[in-house]
């Protein structure tokens, strides 16, 4: 049924395998950054990879020194494979979104935001836990009901506290109302949850919120602006585009400006993590979104976009994590080093 939506983002959720974002990893990152790794032989923290932060005036977001890409660099280097290590460094040195899990969100978010604050950076958080998520597809799941989601969201906000954070709110959630993927019986509740989430997160003094608005290949500005208004976009800092998708930055910018005009000239951010070669044109169009071959990294994350309407280019989807078990990929969100190498190798 949903395969006909060839422009769908089909956002992928949490990773498995090498993924270590959670509380322990984030707090471990604080120790790494503070130079507190142990001296004992075989100490894992001593051998864990470290990365430098990007210049704050260019990119104020935190680079996780303990992320999947950084660990892959360490693994290749240990094996003497410097060619592949250098390719993956193209990913490891950039800030990427931290997708917050369903369990213990306050501690997880606190760990991430504290690690970011320790090096005078902001955290980039992705919230992807809306009830009836992804219409039962590869990334199905989410909170059990509206009350559970509100409690989870409140814990996220408490974890942020007064530290700097930018939140990408619920990729695909609004679009799945517009395209009819989410059953009608859940629409009113979802609008209420999105609006409430914006209001709750904006109570945090240093938090920016961007409500997801899909991508330029999926629906039109005319179909989106009223749902965005109903979901509370007026109280958000803006909207996000192209999360986990491959639309070019130029196309996304044009689309975003048309949409912005209809909702009070709100600014927007663009996910450029994998859009360097644009959308995939081969194979089954119904699966063009899922692990397409020959894609490349896009513009590196920055707040210097040269366009006052575009607040930032961000890597919201983690480059190298699978879209799902298609085209030989592992389960949705799992780290896939071969795909990461393909993205980095195809980047100009």
């Amino acid at each position: 049924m949903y395969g006909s939506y060839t422009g769908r983002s089909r956002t992928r959720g949490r990773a498995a395998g090498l993924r270590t974002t959670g509380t322990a990893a984030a707090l471990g990152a604080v120790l790494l950054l503070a130079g507190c790794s142990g001296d004992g032989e075989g100490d894992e923290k001593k051998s864990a990879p470290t990365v430098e932060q990007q210049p704050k005036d260019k990119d104020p977001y935190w680079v996780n020194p303990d992320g999947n890409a950084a660990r892959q660099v360490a693994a290749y280097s240990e094996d003497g494979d410097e060619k592949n290590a250098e390719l993956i460094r193209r990913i490891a040195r950039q800030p990427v979104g931290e997708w917050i899990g369903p369990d213990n969100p306050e501690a997880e978010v606190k760990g991430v935001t504290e690690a970011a604050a320790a090096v005078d950076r902001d955290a980039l958080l992705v919230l992807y836990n809306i009830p009836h998520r992804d219409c039962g597809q590869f990334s199905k799941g989410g909170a059990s009901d509206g009350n559970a989601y509100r409690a989870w969201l409140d814990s996220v906000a408490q974890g942020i506290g007064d530290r700097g954070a930018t939140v990408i709110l619920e990729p695909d959630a609004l679009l799945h109302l517009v395209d009819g993927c989410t059953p009608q019986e859940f629409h009113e509740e979802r609008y209420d949850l999105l609006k409430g989430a914006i209001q709750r997160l904006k109570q945090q003094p240093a938090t920016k919120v961007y409500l997801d608005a899909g991508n330029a290949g999926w629906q039109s500005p005319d179909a989106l602006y009223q749902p965005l208004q109903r979901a509370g976009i007026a109280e958000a800092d803006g909207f996000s585009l192209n999360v986990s998708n491959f639309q070019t930055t130029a196309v996304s910018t044009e689309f975003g400006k048309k949409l912005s005009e209809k909702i009070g000239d709100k600014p927007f951010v663009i996910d450029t993590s994998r859009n360097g070669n644009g959308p995939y044109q081969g194979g089954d169009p119904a699966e063009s979104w899922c692990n397409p071959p020959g894609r490349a990294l896009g513009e590196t994350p920055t707040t210097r976009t040269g366009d006052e309407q575009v607040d930032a280019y961000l890597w919201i989807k983690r480059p190298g994590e699978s879209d799902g078990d298609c085209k030989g990929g592992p389960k949705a969100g799992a780290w896939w080093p071969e795909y990461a190498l393909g993205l980095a190798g195809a980047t100009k």
Side-chain angles (χ1 to χ4, degrees), residues 27 37 48 84 99 102 116-117 153 160 206 232 236 242 247 320 336:
L27 292 177
S37 59
N84 282 339
W99 294 64
L153 195 285
I160 293 173
N242 205 47
Q247 300 294 324
W336 188 8

Side-chain angles (χ1 to χ4, degrees), residues 154-337:
D154 187 63
S155 293
V156 168
Q158 292 181 44
I160 293 173
D162 60 359
R163 291 173 289 277
T166 290
V167 175
I168 307 302
L169 183 61
E170 296 298 340
D172 294 358
L174 184 80
L175 269 294
H176 281 158
L177 300 178
V178 176
D179 69 11
C181 173
T182 299
Q184 183 67 39
E185 63 190 281
F186 303 129
H187 284 207
E188 184 175 354
E189 178 187 61
R190 180 166 294 185
Y191 279 118
D192 181 68
L193 291 176
L194 292 173
K195 186 172 184 178
I198 294 169
Q199 293 171 341
R200 177 63 187 92
L201 291 165
K202 289 304 295 179
Q203 291 179 26
Q204 308 312 120
T207 297
K208 293 183 177 181
V209 181
Y210 293 87
L211 177 61
D212 188 63
N215 64 72
W218 184 18
Q219 300 297 322
S220 68
D222 284 340
L224 292 173
Y225 76 94
Q226 289 180 327
L228 280 168
Q229 290 171 336
R230 186 175 174 185
I233 190 63
E235 297 181 68
D237 292 273
F239 57 95
S240 59
L241 292 174
N242 205 47
V243 174
S244 296
N245 210 266
F246 305 88
Q247 300 294 324
T248 66
T249 301
V251 167
S252 297
T253 300
E254 180 182 6
F255 180 89
K257 288 185 175 183
K258 290 179 180 178
L259 181 55
S260 177
E261 290 176 357
K262 297 178 179 294
I263 53 172
D265 294 323
K266 283 286 186 178
F268 53 96
V269 298
I270 301 171
D271 185 352
T272 60
S273 58
R274 306 185 299 176
N275 72 346
N277 284 339
Y280 181 54
Q281 302 298 330
D284 182 357
E287 286 200 349
S288 62
W289 56 269
C290 192
N291 299 324
R295 301 310 90 197
L297 304 172
E299 288 92 342
T300 56
T302 184
T303 52
R304 291 183 182 177
T305 67
D307 192 316
E308 62 181 11
Q309 283 294 99
V310 184
D311 279 352
Y313 300 142
L314 303 174
W315 285 6
I316 300 169
K317 167 72 176 184
R318 295 166 168 270
E321 292 185 0
S322 177
D323 292 317
D325 54 356
C326 54
K327 300 184 180 70
K331 67 180 182 178
W335 173 250
W336 188 8

Side-chain angles (χ1 to χ4, degrees), residues 14-34 37 44-45 48-51 53 62-71 96-101 103-104 107-116 118 318 321:
R14 304 278 296 167
L18 286 171
R19 186 163 188 173
T20 55
T21 58
T23 307
L27 292 177
V30 174
L31 296 176
L32 283 168
L33 292 165
S37 59
E44 291 184 2
K45 294 302 178 186
T50 58
V51 295
Q53 302 299 315
W62 177 59
V63 179
N64 186 348
D66 202 32
N68 286 338
R71 288 187 170 272
V96 297
E98 299 292 330
W99 294 64
I100 304 306
D103 302 321
N104 205 7
E108 181 176 0
V109 172
K110 183 178 180 181
V112 171
T113 55
E114 284 185 343
R318 295 166 168 270
E321 292 185 0

Side-chain angles (χ1 to χ4, degrees), residues 133-145:
R133 187 180 69 198
D134 202 37
C135 308
Q137 302 299 300
F138 282 122
S139 287
K140 65 183 178 181
S144 59
D145 56 31

